[in-house]
């Protein structure tokens, strides 16, 4: 384990009841680093994010956050420590407005109302589509706008690590490009680390410096993104080349 890792996952096993889904997973993220987690359907990618977010209790192994153990810390406290998960399927409060959804992200913050308002305006600058619809119900947004709102809500927690699960799901290539550009801009401004789970491998490897491949619950590869892009096996399995 690198001494100054922001997140270090060591030999993590996670099971649903009797069925083990993750096996001895090792994964590390440095401060401010953008990392992709790739792998086929059912490999356990969402499970890994949910375990890090404190939504699932690992069977074995360790999750170390900024030098301190994160295992057994409840999800609400995990957010307060600076980890945010933008879940698969977005999970917005459909009946609440865009502004209310975004403000919910700041619920656990203790740095004062002024800082939260400033961040809200920052999110609206980042996503002008949301600014124009701030009083509209989130359920009435387009798929792309809902994804922006979900990411915005994640950013409103003021994360040091933003975990994004399948952000491209169901979106047009144009919407994905736009959201990726906004994420890159947010990363340049705030410098938070990101863990990107994606089926759109090309996009993920564009954003990420490093990537891991998870297959049937085990990490089978971890490398620099540009080396993975050039790897014939990765090209064949994930890039359709
Ligand atoms: N709540 C649950 N109870 C039991 N088994 C589950 C549960 N959630 C997921 N699984 C199983 O765990 C395995 C990993 O699922 P997971 O959702 O983590 O995969 P994934 O890599 O995110 O897949 P996808 O790319 O389709 O989103 C699958 O076999 C799945 O059926
Ligand atoms: Mg998943």
């Amino acid at each position: 384990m690198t001494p100054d890792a922001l997140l270090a996952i060591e030999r993590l096993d996670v099971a649903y009841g009797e069925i083990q889904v993750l096996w001895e997973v090792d994964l590390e993220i440095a401060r401010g680093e953008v990392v992709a987690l790739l792998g086929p359907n059912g490999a356990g990618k969402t499970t890994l994010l949910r375990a890090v977010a404190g939504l699932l209790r690992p069977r074995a192994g360790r999750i170390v956050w900024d030098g301190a153990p994160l295992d057994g810390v409840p999800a609400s406290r995990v957010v307060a420590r600076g980890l945010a998960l933008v879940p698969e399927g977005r999970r917005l409060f459909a009946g609440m407005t865009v502004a209310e959804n975004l403000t919910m992200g700041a619920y656990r913050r203790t740095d004062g109302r002024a800082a939260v308002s400033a961040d809200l305006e920052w999110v609206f600058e980042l996503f002008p589509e949301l600014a124009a619809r701030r009083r509209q119900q989130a359920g009435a947004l387009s798929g792309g706008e809902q994804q922006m709102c979900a990411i915005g809500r994640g950013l409103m927690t003021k994360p040091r690590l933003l975990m994004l699960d399948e952000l491209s799901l169901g979106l047009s290539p144009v919407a994905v490009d736009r959201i990726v550009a906004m994420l890159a801009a947010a990363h340049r401004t705030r410098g938070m680390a990101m863990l990107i789970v994606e089926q759109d491998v090309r996009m993920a490897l564009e954003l990420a410096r490093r990537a891991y491949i998870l297959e049937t619950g085990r990490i089978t590869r971890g490398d620099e993104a540009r080396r993975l892009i050039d790897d014939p096996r990765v090209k064949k399995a994930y890039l359709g080349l």
Side-chain angles (χ1 to χ4, degrees):
M1 178 186 144
T2 320
D4 66 342
L6 178 63
L7 178 72
I9 298 171
E10 295 166 13
R11 299 179 69 82
L12 199 74
D13 289 351
V14 178
Y16 295 104
E18 290 301 300
I19 301 169
Q20 189 161 341
V21 171
L22 293 180
W23 306 79
E24 300 185 356
V25 167
D26 288 327
L27 183 149
E28 247 184 45
I29 303 179
R31 284 162 223 286
E33 191 181 29
V34 182
V35 172
L37 178 63
L38 312 173
N41 291 122
K45 304 180 298 295
T46 298
T47 301
L48 183 57
L49 296 191
R50 289 175 58 80
V52 173
L55 297 164
L56 291 171
R57 186 177 287 266
R59 174 181 276 183
R62 294 211 306 162
I63 303 174
V64 179
W65 171 252
D66 203 10
L70 200 64
D71 332 59
V73 175
S76 55
R77 296 261 186 84
V78 168
V79 174
R81 289 196 191 183
L83 283 96
L85 171 62
V86 180
E88 205 172 358
R90 293 141 209 174
R91 312 262 172 85
L92 295 173
F93 299 99
M96 286 168 54
T97 67
V98 169
E100 285 165 345
N101 269 279
L102 292 173
T103 307
M104 286 295 286
Y107 169 61
R108 296 265 162 194
R109 280 173 61 170
T110 54
D111 55 346
R113 210 176 275 186
V116 171
S117 312
D119 277 358
L120 187 62
E121 290 317 309
W122 173 63
V123 168
F124 283 142
E125 269 169 41
L126 208 53
F127 298 114
E129 293 89 336
L130 296 183
R133 294 172 176 76
R134 64 166 82 196
R135 285 179 200 85
Q136 186 175 312
Q137 287 199 345
L141 298 174
S142 75
E145 290 159 357
Q146 287 191 22
Q147 190 55 275
M148 292 177 199
C149 192
I151 293 169
R153 187 176 57 185
L155 291 172
M156 287 299 294
T157 68
K158 208 173 183 185
R160 296 170 68 198
L161 173 65
L162 184 64
M163 300 187 284
L164 298 140
D165 198 356
E166 310 279 8
L167 76 89
S168 71
L169 206 69
L171 303 185
S172 71
V174 175
V176 173
D177 282 351
R178 211 173 128 46
I179 290 173
V180 166
M182 299 302 115
L183 267 180
H187 181 254
R188 278 195 300 275
T189 312
R190 290 290 162 94
M192 73 282 184
M194 296 199 274
L195 179 56
I196 302 170
V197 166
E198 257 307 323
Q199 296 286 337
D200 186 339
V201 170
R202 201 180 308 267
M203 178 273 264
L205 292 180
E206 251 168 52
L207 265 175
R209 192 176 73 81
R210 268 188 326 115
Y212 292 89
I213 296 181
L214 186 70
E215 291 171 308
T216 51
R218 293 176 191 274
I219 298 282
T220 54
R221 186 87 196 265
D223 211 335
E224 310 252 319
R226 61 188 149 78
R227 289 179 57 180
L228 286 173
I229 293 174
D230 291 334
D231 184 293
R233 201 177 83 87
V234 173
K235 274 188 178 166
K236 188 159 183 288
Y238 296 105
L239 298 171
L241 298 172

